Amino acid sequence: MKKFDKNNKEKTFLEQQYSKDLVERHSNYLGTEIPEGYFTTSKLAILERIKNEEITENPKKQVVFWLKPSFKYAVAASLVFLVGMTIWLQHLNKTEEQFTTDFELLSFSDDVLLNSILVDEAQFDAYTNIILMNEIVIKAELSEQKMDDLFLNSLFVEDSLIDDYTGKKFVESIIL
Amino acid sequence: MSKEEQLLAKLRNPALKDTAFNELLDTYQERLYWHIRKMVITHENADDVLQNTFIRVYKHIQNFQEKSSLHTWMFRIAYNESIRYLEKNNKKGYEISEEFVEEKVKILSEDTYFNGDEIQLKLHKIIEGFTEKQKRVFQMKYFDELSFKEISELLKVSENTLKSAYYTAVKIIEEKIFE
């Protein structure tokens, strides 16, 4: 395609049937050019940038040997088995211990009973005296006091009721 | 099944994605580059935006809902990436003025990969002086060979409005180019 100049006035400047070559068309009309082999280098640059951005966005995780899928399932199964065994064994020991504890408790209560027979007479007398004083004498005294209070209260209440009643009767008899 | 549909099916298959993406680059890289280049003007900027466009296509191909054709969708990504780039680098905005046009043409003429003559620079000046809609529809229709329907999907503007803007742009160019 020829370059346009002022002598081309007889033709229309913008052609209806223009060249299909984009580079040629842009160069002829707009004077814009590109470096040689640009589209090949640009394509490679775009692909490289995509590759780099994918790596940045999804960095490849470093896989530790013992965390590889083939290995980690076996490790997990072993751990579960070990934990299970530990719990089961603990449960077994506990049952045996419980039996021992119960037996010890029984023997302990027997000892207490035997010891109680062999208590000194003087100690036993002192103990009974304290119990007598606390439980019988003091409690009897307190219950006697309560009885007195109740008797006195009932007396006062009854007197006031009688007074009230006689007062009302007296008034009624006067009125009637 | 069209070639584009076959390509899309392959892009959505993880096992074939990389091979299909290579094919996609071969098919659309050049067209998208020129679309971007006209928007961001210099080769260096177009190269950056083109890479960003294809990375976005690669990442979001699974989300493509097929409301438009694959290449229209890719042109839309390229268009949006270019707009994003322009907004990031142009804090003065898009108000078209003599100064704005001169600045754009200066950037273009200083680009290593611009080899235009007086007429070509004049065409750039005329295009840069268009309204945003006129500029985009002219570039997409005349240089990128997109149909009015595709441009309408891309710019979300009715086809009739685009046709009117395009023919006005063509008329202005024909009138002003040899003045």
Side-chain angles (χ1 to χ4, degrees), chain B residues 102-168:
Chain B
E102 286 299 327
E103 199 186 311
K104 289 269 181 180
V105 171
K106 190 173 172 263
I107 294 168
L108 176 80
S109 54
E110 282 171 0
D111 184 20
T112 323
Y113 297 103
F114 175 73
N115 190 27
D117 58 19
E118 196 190 330
I119 294 285
Q120 285 155 339
L121 261 177
K122 198 168 184 182
L123 178 62
H124 275 287
K125 270 187 190 176
I126 296 167
I127 294 171
E128 288 301 332
F130 284 162
T131 62
E132 189 63 22
K133 200 195 295 165
Q134 267 179 333
K135 193 197 301 182
R136 297 301 164 223
V137 71
F138 176 74
Q139 288 174 340
M140 286 178 193
K141 177 73 186 145
Y142 191 75
F143 291 108
D144 300 333
E145 292 181 322
L146 290 172
S147 67
F148 283 118
K149 190 175 177 283
E150 287 169 328
I151 303 168
S152 165
E153 283 172 17
L154 259 162
L155 301 177
K156 309 279 178 206
V157 179
S158 76
E159 280 186 54
N160 286 336
T161 313
L162 291 175
K163 279 177 190 171
S164 166
Y166 175 73
Y167 292 118
T168 310

Side-chain angles (χ1 to χ4, degrees), chain B residues 46 57-58 66 71-72 75 88 125 129:
Chain B
V57 168
Y58 186 85
E66 292 177 67
H71 80 273
T72 310
F75 265 93
K88 201 172 132 188
K125 270 187 190 176

